[in-house]
Amino acid sequence: MKRILTIQDISCVGKCSLTVALPIVSAAQIETCVLPTAVLSTHTQFQGFTFCDLTKEIAPIEAHWLKERISFDAIYTGYLGSFEQIDLVEKLIDDFKTDDNLIFVDPVMGDAGKLYVGFDQAFADRMASFCSKADVIVPNLTEASFMLHMPYVETGYDEKYIDDLLEQLLGLGAKVAVLTGVSFEKGQLGVVGIDSRTGRKFSYFRDELEGRYHGTGDVFASAALAALIRERSLRDAFAIAADFVAESIQATLDNPESRRYGVDFETALPSFVKNFA
Ligand code: PXL
């Protein structure tokens, strides 16, 4: 069985980060090790959340794993809360990188043109330099815009604009860049990616579903990472992830709390796992 490590926070309520990565990656029959970077009472879109920073645990946990000669087929990072955490995770990646394992970075920082609470342009710049460690990066348009110092364009852009963003994202040093939440025509939403090793582009679009839901980026990244580790091609892995997110949203449409609480990806897990039967 493949073994991956995911490094992100655990938000106790509000399905995102570790509470979605763990069930989704495990459901694809992959051992899912975790390095929680912080414990929050909820994710940061709620008011008054608690935040227990676990930064000081990272180095001793890593030292123990090195001593035990533990290895990972992938390291998947999501929400990281501080510059210091990025420094430590960068070191961990250097120590656990092999010729074969996959470094998958979701530079979680914002959505809909805005950074999440607690992040600023300097943090986006640090995240951009962190992306040089990655084999695959999966920013949304907001995160890409901040990392590249480009104005956020919500709609009305063309393929050339996205190609240009992808080229600039590769310039950060990742081997594969995938932009999520791309829409060239009203009613269609999808992903466009580029593999610098072949120069090949890939994309996958679906009919857009109503509304914005919290945590879908984490559901998407977890499913894509799982499919890549289960040896699906880039295009197939991202299509599987997009279908899974769409089915999760479908399952949530009549749940009025979901915008904050996250999508009911649990309902969509049975068809997701069929991809790996
Ligand atoms: O879904 C991304 C995410 C992860 N972790 C925390 C968050 C968010 C988005 O708001 O607040 C703590």
Side-chain angles (χ1 to χ4, degrees), residues 8-11 14-18 40 42-46 49 51 78-80 108-110 116-117 119 143 214-218:
Q8 41 191 326
D9 68 281
I10 183 153
S11 293
K15 291 178 267 189
C16 68
S17 43
L18 277 187
L40 293 82
T42 63
H43 59 65
T44 62
Q45 309 296 297
F46 284 80
F49 58 87
F51 189 102
Y79 182 99
L80 298 172
V108 176
M109 282 181 295
Y116 296 135
V117 175
F119 295 142
E143 291 152 352
H214 190 267
T216 48
D218 301 346

Side-chain angles (χ1 to χ4, degrees), residues 13-16 42-46 111 116 208-219 248-265:
V13 172
K15 291 178 267 189
C16 68
T42 63
H43 59 65
T44 62
Q45 309 296 297
F46 284 80
D111 201 7
Y116 296 135
E208 183 169 1
L209 295 163
E210 275 293 302
R212 281 181 180 274
Y213 296 86
H214 190 267
T216 48
D218 301 346
V219 172
S248 301
I249 293 175
Q250 280 288 357
T252 319
L253 285 176
D254 54 2
N255 177 352
E257 289 186 321
S258 60
R259 261 151 241 267
R260 275 204 317 174
Y261 283 81
V263 288
D264 295 342
F265 70 87

